[in-house]
């Protein structure tokens, strides 16, 4: 008797694995300077402080127990206080929800806010983790471009004027992944106004806001409207393995997410949530720690951008890297970055071609470089290797 293989769901049709994740497998060789990954530097993760907090958490056996689906109460309290300061209003506990990284917030929100075929507007180039979620939810996806001031809110207004009715607009407002830019204060207000006038949700996805180098980012979009759901995360300032993300959203949204989270994983880890609460509540330690991360990343960003400008001159336009983890580079001389990549890998450097972040097509002359995990001198060497690879591409 032949074995009949049961089918997988139709939701998987057309979904692809992230090109970046596939690429990282190829470029994990130790001789390659990796500017492709999007990882925070583990040397800067506060291992000893985490160990202390873990020990103190484990002194209480109840930390090994299940916890509330919305998150361990004391962590939600710390987050409510931090978010109240950030948003300039008192955020009630009912509006704070802890998720397994902010990625889980995206995925649960897609289920809570979207019916199949609903319109989601994303930025182009996009955070691919969000694109994957919205695609899996069966959304219709339309993109608006970014410029140096973040999302082109005027392009969004044009789409609305043409009759498009989004359920959700997704924005990475601070130090965009992959584009490096930050949404200007004026556009934040405009975006919030549009959300209220046309009745759509904005998901303000903000894992990088605290990683500013010279000056803090403008007030969150969520300051201006209750239609804005704000996501943030401990991944980039503490450690991704804590899997501590959070959401500030109206009560009805949090209750919807709660129902779905029960189905997904019952609850998060009381242990890592206690560790996160301990670290976030220790304000004087935290501000010293985050200052150190900012200082190191700022120095690395400057080294990378400086080397790019020195070595490539006007053959590239790159972002200033005012914060976050990424520099976005546009070649002005017609270089095709997907074709450049294998040569760059031969020369010992890896990056992600811009096309990996395109919503449909484009960014063939662009690339994303991550500066977090290499020292300044290594980044300068990476640019040297890149320049040699690019010179070879022009000759051949
Ligand atoms: N949003 C954006 C824009 C990101 O870049 C990332 C991580 N790369 C996430 C959300 C998810 O991060 P986490 O789940 O670790 O909080």
């Amino acid at each position: 008797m032949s074995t009949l293989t049961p089918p997988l769901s139709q939701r998987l049709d057309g979904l692809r694995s992230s090109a970046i994740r596939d690429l990282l497998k190829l470029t994990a060789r130790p001789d390659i300077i990796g500017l492709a990954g999007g990882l925070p530097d583990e040397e800067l993760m506060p291992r000893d402080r985490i160990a202390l907090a873990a020990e103190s958490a484990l002194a209480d056996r109840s930390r090994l127990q299940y916890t509330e689906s919305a998150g361990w109460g004391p962590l939600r309290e710390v987050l409510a206080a931090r978010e109240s300061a950030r948003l300039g209003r008192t955020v009630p506990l009912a509006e704070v929800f802890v998720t397994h990284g902010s990625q889980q917030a995206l995925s649960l929100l897609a289920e809570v806010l979207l019916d199949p075929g609903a319109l989601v507007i994303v930025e182009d180039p996009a955070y691919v983790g969000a694109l994957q979620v919205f695609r899996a939810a069966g959304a219709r996806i339309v993109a608006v471009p970014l410029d140096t001031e973040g999302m082109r809110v005027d392009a969004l207004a044009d789409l609305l004027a043409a009759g498009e009715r989004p359920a959700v607009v997704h924005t990475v407002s601070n130090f965009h992944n992959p584009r490096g830019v930050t949404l200007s204060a004026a556009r934040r207000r405009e975006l919030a106004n549009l959300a209220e006038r046309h009745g759509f949700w904005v998901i303000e996805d903000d894992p990088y806001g605290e990683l500013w180098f010279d000056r803090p980012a403008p007030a969150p979009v969520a300051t201006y409207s209750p239609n804005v759901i704000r996501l943030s995360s401990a991944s980039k300032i503490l450690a991704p393995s804590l899997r501590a993300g959070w959401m500030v959203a109206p009560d009805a949204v949090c209750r919807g997410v709660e129902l779905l989270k029960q189905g997904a994983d019952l609850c998060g880890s009381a242990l890592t949530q206690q560790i996160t609460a301990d670290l976030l509540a220790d304000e004087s330690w935290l501000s010293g720690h985050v200052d150190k991360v900012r200082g190191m990343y700022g120095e690395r960003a400057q080294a990378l951008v400086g080397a790019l400008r020195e070595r490539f001159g006007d053959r590239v336009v790159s972002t200033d890297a005012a914060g976050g983890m990424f520099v976005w580079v546009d070649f002005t001389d017609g270089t095709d970055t997907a074709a450049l990549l294998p040569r760059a890998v031969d020369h010992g450097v890896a990056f992600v071609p811009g096309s990996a972040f395109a919503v449909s097509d484009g960014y063939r002359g662009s690339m994303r470089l991550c500066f977090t995990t290499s020292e300044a001198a290594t980044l300068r060497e990476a640019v040297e290797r890149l320049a040699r690879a690019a010179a070879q591409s022009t000759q051949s």
Side-chain angles (χ1 to χ4, degrees), residues 101-103 127 172 177 205 207-208 233 235-236 243:
S102 49
Q103 188 65 33
Y127 168 50
V172 180
N177 175 10
D205 188 358
Y208 302 107
S233 168
S235 292
K236 308 301 189 304
R243 299 318 292 134

Side-chain angles (χ1 to χ4, degrees), residues 29-299:
R29 278 176 18 210
D31 56 318
I32 292 184
I33 303 175
L35 308 184
L39 307 180
D41 187 354
E42 57 205 41
E43 295 299 325
L44 294 173
M45 292 176 200
R47 182 178 54 176
D48 295 346
R49 187 64 188 78
I50 288 174
L52 260 183
E55 202 176 325
S56 118
L58 287 167
D60 179 347
R61 286 187 165 270
S62 71
R63 287 302 88 73
L64 298 173
Q65 194 51 277
Y66 290 107
T67 187
E68 302 100 290
S69 302
W72 188 57
L75 174 58
R76 288 170 65 219
E77 277 168 32
V78 176
L79 294 173
R82 285 169 60 85
E83 291 296 332
S84 297
R86 198 85 195 259
L87 295 171
R89 69 178 173 90
T90 304
V91 174
L93 269 192
E95 295 182 11
V96 178
F97 196 101
V98 181
T99 51
H100 195 79
S102 49
Q103 188 65 33
Q104 190 191 34
L106 283 171
S107 124
L108 296 176
L109 281 171
E111 291 186 65
V112 168
L113 306 179
L114 302 176
D115 291 312
L119 173 62
V120 174
I121 294 187
V122 297
E123 295 161 323
D124 198 11
Y127 168 50
V128 285
L131 265 188
Q132 279 179 319
V133 160
F134 297 136
R135 284 192 175 127
R140 181 165 77 87
I141 294 169
V142 171
V144 292
L146 292 148
D147 64 16
T148 52
E149 287 181 49
M151 177 193 277
R152 287 268 312 277
V153 176
D154 61 321
L156 170 64
D158 289 346
L159 286 172
L160 295 164
E164 292 285 19
R165 289 292 165 261
V168 165
V169 173
H170 175 259
T171 180
V172 180
S173 48
N174 295 321
F175 316 121
H176 193 272
N177 175 10
R179 186 64 178 74
V181 292
T182 291
L183 190 64
S184 69
R187 289 190 189 175
R188 289 173 194 237
R189 274 192 292 273
E190 270 168 57
L191 176 58
N193 277 342
L194 289 173
E196 295 200 345
R197 201 159 352 119
H198 295 270
F200 57 80
W201 294 106
V202 173
I203 298 179
E204 181 179 25
D205 188 358
D206 181 23
Y208 302 107
E210 293 206 47
L211 294 179
W212 48 266
F213 302 152
D214 296 328
R215 74 189 78 88
V221 187
T223 320
Y224 303 108
S225 169
N227 286 15
V228 182
I229 297 168
R230 193 179 129 69
L231 311 186
S232 195
S233 168
S235 292
K236 308 301 189 304
I237 53 167
L238 297 177
S241 67
L242 295 169
R243 299 318 292 134
W246 57 90
M247 177 174 96
V248 177
D251 185 46
V253 174
C254 288
R255 301 294 68 83
V257 169
E258 187 167 17
L259 284 175
L260 287 161
K261 184 161 165 81
Q262 283 162 2
D265 59 9
L266 295 182
C267 65
S269 155
L271 182 59
T272 66
Q273 291 189 17
Q274 158 131 355
I275 294 170
T276 308
D278 186 336
L279 271 60
L280 293 182
D282 187 352
E283 282 175 23
S284 61
W285 171 82
L286 183 69
S287 74
H289 166 72
V290 175
D291 272 354
K292 183 169 130 197
V293 178
R294 280 182 196 133
M296 291 301 282
Y297 286 0
E299 195 184 300

